[in-house]
């Protein structure tokens, strides 16, 4: 139910690390993921292709990874030759 995002079934990565959310998702779903994972993960960022990185939107350790920080992310195109 969209009114209860905490009940969405999601794959939970191992706790205590950073997580990057990527893909074409509705804002309400991104917020639901951040709400569910925010207390378990060190930080959560959302991938922004124009920035070639992910912007931190939640952090348990703001002294080391602050909200708003852009974390570089290298995503290889499936069309690139090695």
């Amino acid at each position: 139910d969209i009114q209860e995002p905490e009940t969405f079934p999601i794959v939970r990565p191992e706790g205590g690390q950073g997580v990057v959310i990527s893909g074409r998702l509705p804002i309400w779903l991104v917020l639901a993921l951040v709400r569910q994972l925010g207390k378990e993960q060190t930080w959560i960022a959302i991938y922004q292709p124009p920035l070639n990185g992910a912007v931190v939107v939640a952090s348990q350790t703001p002294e080391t990874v602050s909200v708003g920080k852009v974390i570089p992310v290298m995503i290889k195109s499936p069309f690139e030759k090695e």
Side-chain angles (χ1 to χ4, degrees):
D1 182 10
I2 194 170
Q3 300 299 322
E4 298 177 6
E6 299 82 18
T7 63
F8 288 173
I10 63 169
V11 175
R12 295 189 178 281
E14 187 175 320
Q17 58 188 1
V19 172
V20 175
I21 299 172
S22 178
R24 291 181 176 244
L25 302 170
I27 295 297
W28 62 265
L29 182 53
V30 172
L31 293 174
L33 291 170
V34 171
R35 285 181 65 179
Q36 280 199 36
L37 299 174
K39 295 177 183 153
E40 302 167 5
Q41 305 305 323
T42 304
W43 53 263
I44 300 175
I46 299 173
Y47 179 63
Q48 297 294 309
L51 300 176
N52 290 321
V55 178
V56 176
V57 296
S59 177
Q60 298 289 339
T61 57
E63 59 280 346
T64 56
V65 181
S66 60
V67 171
K69 179 178 181 172
V70 178
I71 298 173
V73 176
M74 298 293 289
I75 295 182
K76 185 176 179 183
S77 169
F79 304 107
E80 287 182 25
K81 293 183 179 181
E82 293 192 34

